[in-house]
Amino acid sequence: MPGPGHPMRGPKPKIENPGKLFRRLMGYVLRSYTPHVIIVVICIFVGVLANIQGTLFMQTLIDEYITPLLGAQNPDFSGLTQAIFRVACFYAIGVVSTYLYNRIMIVVSQGTMRNIRNDMFNKMEALPIKYFDTHPHGDIMSRYTNDIDTLRQMISQSMPQCFNSAITIVSVLISMVILSVPLTITTLIMVTLMLVVTKKATSLSGRYFMAQQKSIGAVNGYIEEMMEGQKVVKVFCHEEESIKRFNELNEELFDSAYNANQFGNMLGPINAQLGNLSYVVCAIVGGILAIGNIGGLTVGALASFLSFNKSFNMPINQVSQQFNSVVMALAGADRIFKMLDEEPEADNGYVTLVNAEEINGELKETTRHTGVWAWRHYHKDSDTTTYQRLEGGVVFDDVDFGYTDDKIVLHNIKMFAEPGQKIAFVGSTGAGKTTITNLINRFYDIQDGKIRYDKINVNKIKKADLRRSLGIVLQDTHLFTATVMENIRYGKLDATDGEVIAAAKLANAHEFIERLPEGYNTLLTGDGANLSQGQRQLLAIARAAIADPPALILDEATSSIDTRTEKIVQDGMDKLMSGRTTFVIAHRLSTVRNSDCIMVLEQGRIIERGTHEELIEAKGKYYQLYTGNTI
Amino acid sequence: MIKVLGAQIKEFKRDSVLTPVFMILEVIMEMVIPLLMASIIDDGVYAGNLNHIYKIGGLMIVIALVGLWAGLMGAKYGAKASTGFARNLRKAMFENIQTYSFSNIDKFSTSSLITRLTTDVTNIQNAYQMVLRMAMRAPASMIIAMVMAFSIHARLASIYLIAVLFLTVCIACILPKASKYFRQVFEKYDDLNASVQENVSAIRVVKAYVREDYERDKFAKANQNIYDMFLRAEKLVVINMPLMQATVYVCILVISWLGAKTIVAGGLTTGEMMSLLAYCMNILMSLMMVSMVFVMLSMSYASAKRIAEVLTEQTDLQNPDAPVTTVKDGSVVFQDVTFAYHKDGKAVLKDINLNIQSGETIGIIGGTGSAKSSLVNLISRLYDVTSGELLVGGLDVRKYDMEVLRNEVAVVLQKNVLFSGTILENLRWGNQEASEEECKRACQLACADEFIQKMPDKYHTFIEQGGTNVSGGQKQRLCIARALLKKPKILILDDSTSAVDTATDAKIRKAFAEEIPDTTKFIIAQRVSSVQHADRIIVMDNGEVMAFDTHEALLETSPIYREVYESQTGGNADFDQNGGDN
């Protein structure tokens, strides 16, 4: 060990409370698989006992059926036959239980993996947008890939093996004690030596292992960066420099990987030979005892003991080898549980959206799909339920917002959009346009002020219903791995093919879809990688169109559609927007100009508002942006 | 394929040979030990000869030490050979990738190149180490143990032969089927992770459409499917363990039964029987090892193939034999140029004929997919024309030394990248020797100096990987400055100011016109305002040049241009969604 105060650590990632974590993980397994685990434990136990029975049989074989018969004229083997038959039965039970426990273990481990994956995914879908803002996507992904994989290793291999080893160690130890106490002590001394050496070796290899991980990180990072920028490298003829730096990193990696592997490999032969040494020492000590007939050690007992010596070393080696993988898996489990422990998106809303029909001028709830929607508002104090037609009016009343409490990015936002109006936001990047729209559907919650939707405070509306009533086409288009048809249908799951095609026609996406190799059944993969940016935006518009919401948010929905195509889309967009409350963020004049009200944002404040004509008249910021003249 | 990879072993040939040699030595030592154990029991314990026990025990320790030495050496050389091999593979791949042309890169895709350089190499490293350490050791161990067993008692030992045959047949039946199942399930597993990835990045869409439950159902179904497939695969593998155990047990029983009789009949000693039983484990364990090596090899086969593909890929752009190393001027002539990305693919550029004078500013405008980028990418020979000729400075681009050509023709790519390092280091990609003063000058031209001056460490500010700590518009301006430092004769801006506000855009254009008047400039843009002041404007549509003239003339003659112009103007401007981002 190095000097005091500087304990060397192996390759173990730090975990705060491994015991608690382990218990939690076990609890997780047991929650669904308690009977399975009990059977597994029994099977392992039976298997180990059968195996030990076999080893003990060696003694019986030699002492009772071989030694006494040596030199006999007519040896009687009937006892031997019986004994062999008995052992065969034990063995058969052993084999069956080995099979059973392995077979059940797959169900337990794979089932647990499935449950954890499901829980993780279910949780993930419930997490607020903020979580995704603050956690790198690669990190989230690695919980599904790396962490789950190490966990699978642990549950399916390490845990049963450790348990198996533990039972073996205990029962072999007991058998050894029965056979000979002095020899047992000898064996234990050798095992202690083995453990000390193992510890030394792991801490040594651990140091190199850490260095190796660091170099791997450096090399992989460099590879990623250079491959991403490979075309830039070509354009700047920077190949030689990039090779030079790569070679340096690669050389470092070789160095640390070589050492890590070398020391990692050494543990095996060292322990194997220490095992042999233990065998020799026991043989010598046992030989002395047997020949001197000290402690009643028979030759058969010595033979049995020597094979126990071997089967004692093996599980100890196994456990020490499993140790690292258990620690790694616990670190993975820690990250997984952290995600499962995240607070889900809060939703205290109780106003819900229901189908309604108007009877005698009064709104009534119905289960039929009527095309008329109403807010179902339950009043606790008077125990009454009122209905209010969904119209799509939005009011911001002195709203302040910041992604974190200490940094407010939107200040005193006041605005109102009457049902059916078109409101446009203009301003530079970072002015807060997208942020405002993200507040309407409560992707984020505001710090101060009130947002009302159809005169209802949005906090009172159930989030799912609020979002269902708002269509949104986002700045970054995202499509799913599915057919074009299914991607559009995402907006309304029960839409017929006809409705999908109608929506596509509205967004002017129909034509290009028809030209795709398999039309509407063309499979999109990798976020629609086989489509152009403009085509992807058209699909996103169609997806919003089919949802047919009373209010619509278009966040740079046409930014990647070239001007000529946009003109074509514009008709569809106009059709889509008519009769709906629409919030438009755009930098193109044509999209903004005919809005009922244009808000000019700067640094989180609305600095100008009014119709196009009014704002031009005012000769303020809008006028500047509009004419391209800086004053 | 093995040849291609094997060629990269290079200086580690010695280690690669020594590893199995030491491993076999270790095995031999390991095999001698049961013999000595037998001797201890027979001639020592039974004969009551303590001296013999000391003697053989001592010998055993010596043998164990030799075994230890061999084992440690095997560990060392094995580690060296495999990690060294991995190093050489990475190096060779990386160096070969640096010679790739754009179309080579397109063929592989960035993410697949990264996987090949990282995960695949690691797989091969592990497989190689396994092969060196186990592929010889396991069969050797099996053969030696078998020979030893036969030398003790041939008739009894023949049971092992039967056992080996039996297990081999069983494994041969199980493994290929199981590994096929595993391959299938891992493919599905990748799909599942891809769909998680999709959900992570599209979480806003999911939430906006309230599709959380829909996604959950979808995921649960796929997840259940994977569970079923894993079960199917592992059900097969799980037979291995008890099968092996059963075989061992049967062997033990048979040997005990027959052995006991033989001993009593005087044909065998007790110690010898013990040795026979010890060899039983050795033989069957080695067999398992061999099967594991096979599994490992078959699993790394795909990786090996992917690596070999990278190594054997030849760049499709070659430097000419006697390359011209000076570019006379910045004139560009397209003569009947057609271009397709793939040999037999659809032509994306058709019959292009253009004649551009040195020092002209050329605007290029057209819809998405009209092949604007493809057109300019030909000028610095990022791709070769399929037919026709492209002259730069009066000479076919294929006659120039590529490095010279690319230094004279600077391209600011549409999808541009900054690298981790300071701003200065990034700028000096354009010119290694550029002084800080020159860098500053280029940044002033590209209107980048203003925001750099506001940064905490100015020109020494560290840019994160992928340039995540600068905004889109700032990144574009830095990329332009980087290209300017080359002092090129031709400068190509491929939609490089899309995130820069109109006013700054105009300032940059003005600086270009005044400060580098002799440089031929190509400006691709969506905005008419970015190109309308160019000397001439190319209007592209669907891979063809529809018109090539001045702004005023185009308004008269080109309906497409007029349409674009009118749709974007009213007061001739649009709102900069990314303006003022400094």
Side-chain angles (χ1 to χ4, degrees):
Chain A
M1 278 280 126
H6 297 281
M8 263 323 281
R9 290 195 188 281
K12 319 155 195 155
K14 258 188 115 173
I15 308 169
E16 268 162 35
N17 195 340
K20 199 172 143 207
L21 206 56
F22 185 77
R23 276 198 300 280
R24 182 164 176 192
L25 191 62
M26 279 312 293
Y28 208 98
V29 176
L30 291 176
R31 201 175 71 199
S32 317
Y33 295 105
T34 308
H36 294 75
V37 171
I38 292 173
I39 297 174
V40 166
V41 169
I42 294 171
C43 284
I44 291 179
F45 205 69
V46 171
V48 170
L49 285 186
N51 202 3
I52 289 177
Q53 193 61 37
T55 314
L56 283 173
F57 167 67
M58 279 304 117
Q59 182 193 3
T60 328
L61 180 71
I62 294 169
D63 287 350
E64 291 178 25
Y65 304 112
I66 296 179
T67 317
L69 295 181
L70 280 178
Q73 283 306 315
N74 284 312
D76 174 18
F77 287 112
S78 60
L80 177 66
T81 316
Q82 267 176 26
I84 294 236
F85 182 72
R86 217 171 42 237
V87 176
C89 288
F90 276 116
Y91 276 159
I93 294 170
V95 169
V96 169
S97 55
T98 304
Y99 173 72
L100 266 182
Y101 110 67
N102 278 300
R103 176 68 185 75
I104 295 171
M105 248 352 258
I106 5 175
V107 176
V108 175
S109 60
Q110 288 300 338
T112 307
M113 288 306 103
R114 177 196 58 194
N115 293 348
I116 289 188
R117 274 198 300 264
N118 267 341
D119 286 355
M120 267 163 65
F121 191 82
N122 288 346
K123 186 48 167 266
M124 187 180 90
E125 294 290 300
L127 291 174
I129 297 289
K130 206 174 199 166
Y131 182 85
F132 298 91
D133 292 345
T134 47
H135 293 75
H137 292 179
D139 265 18
I140 302 176
M141 279 315 295
S142 82
R143 289 168 209 214
Y144 286 92
T145 52
N146 299 341
D147 293 345
I148 287 254
D149 281 342
T150 54
L151 216 56
R152 185 180 64 207
Q153 284 266 324
M154 172 179 167
I155 294 178
S156 67
Q157 287 175 19
S158 307
M159 268 169 36
Q161 197 161 65
C162 285
F163 184 69
N164 196 340
S165 302
I167 294 182
T168 311
I169 289 169
V170 171
S171 44
V172 168
L173 190 63
I174 293 169
S175 315
M176 287 202 304
V177 171
I178 294 170
L179 283 174
S180 166
V181 177
L183 282 185
T184 310
I185 294 169
T186 318
T187 308
L188 285 179
I189 292 170
M190 293 306 293
V191 164
T192 318
L193 182 66
M194 221 143 86
L195 287 179
V196 171
V197 171
T198 304
K199 202 169 160 30
K200 278 261 177 212
T202 29
S203 90
L204 197 65
S205 75
R207 215 180 317 168
Y208 290 112
F209 188 76
M210 296 261 275
Q212 178 188 235
Q213 290 309 99
K214 224 178 117 199
S215 328
I216 286 179
V219 166
N220 287 3
Y222 188 78
I223 286 173
E224 251 170 61
E225 181 164 20
M226 283 303 135
M227 290 302 115
E228 293 285 351
Q230 190 57 40
K231 288 193 172 180
V232 179
V233 171
K234 295 304 289 183
V235 164
F236 282 94
C237 304
H238 219 263
E239 296 91 340
E240 269 165 44
E241 286 82 355
S242 93
I243 288 175
K244 209 176 112 210
R245 178 82 188 113
F246 179 77
N247 282 346
E248 287 166 20
L249 292 168
N250 196 17
E251 213 54 46
E252 273 169 39
L253 172 59
F254 166 55
D255 218 45
S256 59
Y258 166 43
N259 280 316
N261 271 284
Q262 182 185 351
F263 286 99
N265 286 346
M266 280 181 175
L267 200 59
I270 290 176
N271 271 333
Q273 300 311 336
L274 279 176
N276 283 334
L277 197 65
S278 168
Y279 190 96
V280 172
V281 172
C282 282
I284 291 173
V285 175
I288 295 170
L289 293 177
I291 290 166
N293 208 359
I294 307 160
L297 186 72
T298 61
V299 172
L302 179 58
S304 278
F305 191 93
L306 287 179
S307 62
F308 275 133
N309 177 279
K310 265 212 127 120
S311 45
F312 192 60
N313 293 336
M314 205 139 61
I316 285 181
N317 275 338
Q318 275 171 356
V319 171
S320 66
Q321 274 164 25
Q322 294 297 340
F323 189 70
N324 267 339
S325 80
V326 169
V327 175
M328 296 240 299
L330 282 181
D334 192 34
R335 280 189 293 270
I336 288 173
F337 284 135
K338 279 218 177 88
M339 176 160 159
L340 290 179
D341 290 341
E342 284 290 335
E343 270 308 307
E345 197 173 2
D347 187 5
N348 302 319
Y350 55 88
V351 175
T352 53
L353 195 63
V354 293
N355 279 300
E357 55 189 338
E358 208 169 324
I359 303 166
N360 304 330
E362 220 179 299
L363 279 175
K364 288 267 191 264
E365 189 176 342
T366 170
T367 47
R368 277 189 309 120
H369 185 77
T370 51
V372 178
W373 294 89
W375 296 111
R376 183 180 187 278
H377 200 154
Y378 173 75
H379 304 275
K380 210 172 169 187
D381 34 329
S382 57
D383 192 26
T384 51
T385 306
T386 56
Y387 294 93
Q388 183 187 346
R389 187 188 281 269
L390 168 71
E391 291 175 311
V394 175
V395 175
F396 273 58
D397 189 0
D398 223 353
V399 169
D400 286 345
F401 170 73
Y403 290 98
T404 52
D405 283 338
D406 51 326
K407 203 182 162 207
I408 299 295
V409 295
L410 288 178
H411 308 270
N412 310 101
I413 301 295
K414 281 187 201 136
M415 64 161 198
F416 59 90
E418 295 287 339
Q421 273 194 330
K422 180 176 170 187
I423 310 287
F425 296 100
V426 298
S428 35
T429 306
K433 294 166 299 184
T434 302
T435 312
I436 289 191
T437 58
N438 278 340
L439 299 180
I440 301 175
N441 62 5
R442 289 192 69 201
F443 273 171
Y444 302 97
D445 279 332
I446 54 176
Q447 262 74 2
D448 198 15
K450 282 197 175 72
I451 302 173
R452 293 197 181 84
Y453 190 89
D454 281 343
K455 302 199 181 69
I456 307 166
N457 187 336
V458 286
N459 291 337
K460 290 187 188 164
I461 303 176
K462 230 171 142 18
K463 269 188 183 165
D465 288 324
L466 174 70
R467 287 177 188 163
R468 211 172 288 151
S469 69
L470 283 160
I472 186 161
V473 181
L474 296 161
Q475 204 166 0
D476 306 315
T477 314
H478 288 290
L479 299 170
F480 295 89
T481 304
T483 63
V484 172
M485 183 77 86
E486 286 165 323
N487 263 293
I488 298 177
R489 194 174 279 145
Y490 203 82
K492 185 185 173 203
L493 295 178
D494 55 357
T496 63
D497 289 4
E499 287 178 277
V500 170
I501 292 168
K505 280 183 176 158
L506 184 77
N508 276 310
H510 181 71
E511 272 174 43
F512 92 80
I513 296 172
E514 289 281 274
R515 280 204 305 268
L516 292 174
E518 286 172 70
Y520 281 87
N521 294 320
T522 308
L523 188 70
L524 301 181
T525 52
D527 211 353
N530 30 1
L531 299 180
S532 77
Q533 186 63 25
Q535 290 172 331
R536 297 170 61 221
Q537 284 195 330
L538 293 183
L539 286 186
I541 293 168
R543 181 167 65 186
I546 204 166
D548 193 23
L552 203 57
I553 297 168
L554 304 175
D555 188 354
E556 295 284 4
T558 56
S559 62
S560 292
I561 300 173
D562 60 90
T563 349
R564 292 192 65 216
T565 320
E566 195 194 6
K567 248 189 105 181
I568 310 169
V569 185
Q570 202 58 52
D571 308 333
M573 295 281 283
D574 284 339
K575 270 184 256 166
L576 185 63
M577 286 188 274
S578 76
R580 296 176 214 277
T581 316
T582 314
F583 296 91
V584 183
I585 299 172
H587 67 284
R588 287 214 183 110
L589 177 69
S590 47
T591 329
V592 172
R593 197 173 182 181
N594 62 349
S595 305
D596 294 299
C597 185
I598 298 167
M599 313 266 173
V600 184
L601 278 148
E602 200 170 84
Q603 294 183 348
R605 290 174 204 277
I606 298 177
I607 54 165
E608 283 170 39
R609 66 177 83 205
T611 63
H612 174 72
E613 287 72 21
E614 287 165 4
L615 289 174
I616 288 294
E617 197 72 12
K619 289 221 157 79
K621 181 77 181 173
Y622 182 82
Y623 176 81
Q624 269 180 46
L625 283 168
Y626 176 65
T627 54
N629 297 331
T630 35
I631 302 164
Chain B
M1 187 182 81
I2 289 170
K3 239 187 185 164
V4 174
L5 263 61
Q8 298 304 327
I9 298 173
K10 288 181 183 161
E11 67 262 45
F12 300 104
K13 282 198 192 80
R14 195 180 72 108
D15 304 273
S16 301
V17 174
L18 282 177
T19 312
V21 168
F22 276 110
M23 295 317 284
I24 291 174
L25 182 61
E26 190 195 16
V27 164
I28 294 173
M29 294 304 123
E30 215 166 78
M31 291 301 139
V32 176
I33 283 175
L35 277 187
L36 298 179
M37 288 176 182
S39 173
I40 285 182
I41 289 182
D42 288 339
D43 307 330
V45 178
Y46 279 101
N49 186 348
L50 208 53
N51 266 337
H52 185 79
I53 295 183
Y54 291 146
K55 214 173 75 194
I56 300 295
L59 186 60
M60 238 177 108
I61 291 173
V62 172
I63 299 250
L65 287 178
V66 175
L68 181 66
W69 176 70
L72 293 182
M73 288 297 125
K76 182 178 153 188
Y77 290 121
K80 192 161 180 190
S82 60
T83 54
F85 180 43
R87 179 196 70 177
N88 289 351
L89 278 179
R90 270 193 299 267
K91 188 167 141 92
M93 285 165 84
F94 195 85
E95 283 174 2
N96 198 35
I97 289 170
Q98 296 307 316
T99 69
Y100 282 11
S101 71
F102 271 37
S103 51
N104 294 121
I105 300 169
D106 294 340
K107 192 172 137 192
F108 282 105
S109 94
T110 304
S111 63
S112 119
L113 282 178
I114 293 173
T115 318
R116 287 164 204 245
L117 272 164
T118 53
T119 320
D120 284 336
V121 171
T122 311
N123 286 345
I124 294 300
Q125 175 185 322
N126 291 339
Y128 190 60
Q129 173 144 260
M130 177 93 168
V131 166
L132 288 185
R133 283 162 53 82
M134 289 301 156
M136 297 295 275
R137 186 190 201 277
S141 155
M142 197 161 89
I143 291 165
I144 295 169
M146 202 64 108
V147 169
M148 296 276 201
F150 268 88
S151 71
I152 292 172
H153 199 280
R155 208 158 51 84
L156 286 176
S158 58
I159 290 163
Y160 295 153
L161 220 49
I162 297 168
V164 166
L165 271 174
F166 169 72
L167 271 185
T168 310
V169 171
C170 289
I171 293 172
C173 286
I174 295 170
L175 277 189
K177 212 169 163 191
S179 50
K180 194 184 91 194
Y181 285 165
F182 271 116
R183 263 202 304 280
Q184 286 171 354
V185 67
F186 280 119
E187 247 167 58
K188 282 273 175 230
Y189 199 46
D190 287 345
D191 287 351
L192 185 82
N193 286 330
S195 98
V196 173
Q197 172 92 60
E198 212 165 77
N199 257 276
V200 173
S201 55
I203 190 71
R204 281 162 196 264
V205 178
V206 174
K207 287 197 176 276
Y209 284 98
V210 200
R211 291 287 175 261
E212 290 96 332
D213 285 335
Y214 171 78
E215 291 296 335
R216 282 176 184 145
D217 283 350
K218 212 168 78 184
F219 182 84
K221 264 189 216 130
N223 195 8
Q224 180 65 31
N225 187 22
I226 281 180
Y227 167 79
D228 293 336
M229 288 174 82
F230 258 123
L231 235 53
R232 188 180 66 172
E234 292 201 4
K235 257 189 215 162
L236 275 175
V237 177
V238 115
I239 302 172
N240 267 339
M241 226 352 231
L243 198 66
M244 156 99 179
Q245 211 180 30
T247 315
V248 170
Y249 286 160
V250 168
C251 286
I252 290 177
L253 290 176
V254 173
I255 297 280
S256 305
W257 165 244
L258 296 178
K261 287 188 169 175
T262 318
I263 292 171
V264 173
L268 191 75
T269 64
T270 313
E272 281 172 347
M273 189 180 81
M274 298 295 291
S275 306
L276 267 183
L277 288 175
Y279 287 127
C280 173
M281 275 312 271
N282 272 324
I283 291 169
L284 297 182
M285 283 302 275
S286 308
L287 187 65
M288 279 291 162
M289 273 297 180
V290 172
S291 74
M292 259 170 67
V293 171
F294 272 114
V295 171
M296 195 70 182
L297 280 181
S298 78
M299 273 173 27
S300 58
Y301 175 79
S303 292
K305 212 172 106 191
R306 281 196 293 266
I307 291 176
E309 276 169 12
V310 172
L311 288 175
T312 47
E313 178 80 13
Q314 294 280 334
T315 174
D316 54 8
L317 296 183
Q318 302 288 354
N319 247 348
D321 285 335
V324 178
T325 54
T326 46
V327 179
K328 202 174 79 210
D329 57 37
S331 67
V332 177
V333 178
F334 283 78
Q335 281 175 356
D336 299 321
V337 168
T338 55
F339 170 67
Y341 281 99
H342 306 288
K343 259 208 183 79
D344 315 308
K346 209 177 100 210
V348 292
L349 287 171
K350 283 157 266 181
D351 303 318
I352 307 290
N353 281 292
L354 297 167
N355 199 329
I356 292 150
Q357 310 292 321
S358 191
E360 263 192 296
T361 299
I362 304 293
I364 303 177
I365 204 154
T368 36
S370 61
K372 302 183 296 275
S373 297
S374 309
L375 181 80
V376 294
N377 280 344
L378 297 178
I379 301 175
S380 58
R381 207 186 165 203
L382 299 174
Y383 298 93
D384 265 346
V385 298
T386 309
S387 70
E389 238 187 349
L390 173 57
L391 313 177
V392 168
L395 206 62
D396 192 306
V397 286
R398 284 167 290 195
K399 296 207 171 107
Y400 287 109
D401 176 76
M402 269 194 282
E403 186 164 345
V404 170
L405 179 71
R406 286 179 190 161
N407 279 331
E408 294 294 354
V409 184
V411 191
V412 182
L413 295 170
Q414 194 172 8
K415 187 178 173 286
N416 225 316
V417 180
L418 292 174
F419 296 87
S420 50
T422 64
I423 290 181
L424 263 186
E425 280 165 7
N426 266 290
L427 290 170
R428 282 186 181 138
W429 274 59
N431 176 10
Q432 296 285 344
E433 274 89 43
S435 65
E436 193 162 342
E437 212 35 58
E438 282 176 281
C439 291
K440 203 171 160 186
R441 177 90 197 98
C443 285
Q444 280 164 350
L445 271 178
C447 291
D449 185 58
E450 35 191 283
F451 76 81
I452 297 173
Q453 293 298 348
K454 284 186 203 152
M455 292 186 139
D457 298 317
K458 306 225 161 85
Y459 280 85
H460 295 279
T461 307
F462 195 83
I463 303 285
E464 303 290 335
Q465 184 172 339
T468 45
N469 55 341
V470 286
S471 77
Q474 293 173 336
K475 202 157 118 184
Q476 287 187 335
R477 281 178 272 172
L478 281 175
C479 290
I480 294 173
R482 181 171 66 179
L484 282 175
L485 274 168
K486 276 190 178 179
K487 300 209 175 73
K489 291 206 167 69
I490 299 174
L491 176 68
I492 299 171
L493 304 182
D494 188 352
D495 214 358
S496 309
T497 54
S498 60
V500 178
D501 63 280
T502 345
T504 314
D505 188 23
K507 250 159 90 188
I508 297 173
R509 270 181 284 119
K510 190 160 161 260
F512 281 0
E514 287 167 5
E515 306 287 335
I516 46 168
D518 298 334
T519 302
T520 313
K521 287 150 293 236
F522 288 86
I523 299 171
I524 296 183
Q526 290 278 352
R527 285 187 214 140
V528 173
S529 65
S530 300
V531 296
Q532 73 179 94
H533 303 290
D535 295 326
R536 285 189 289 170
I537 300 160
I538 300 172
V539 181
M540 305 257 332
D541 190 41
N542 207 12
E544 286 175 76
V545 173
M546 303 307 287
F548 183 31
D549 216 327
T550 62
H551 170 70
E552 288 72 23
L554 284 173
L555 279 182
E556 295 289 317
T557 56
S558 169
I560 297 179
Y561 187 78
R562 199 164 50 235
E563 203 181 308
V564 174
Y565 178 75
E566 281 166 3
S567 73
Q568 285 188 18
T569 47
N572 93 23
D574 59 359
F575 296 101
D576 301 299
Q577 82 271 34
N578 292 307
D581 53 357
N582 36 13

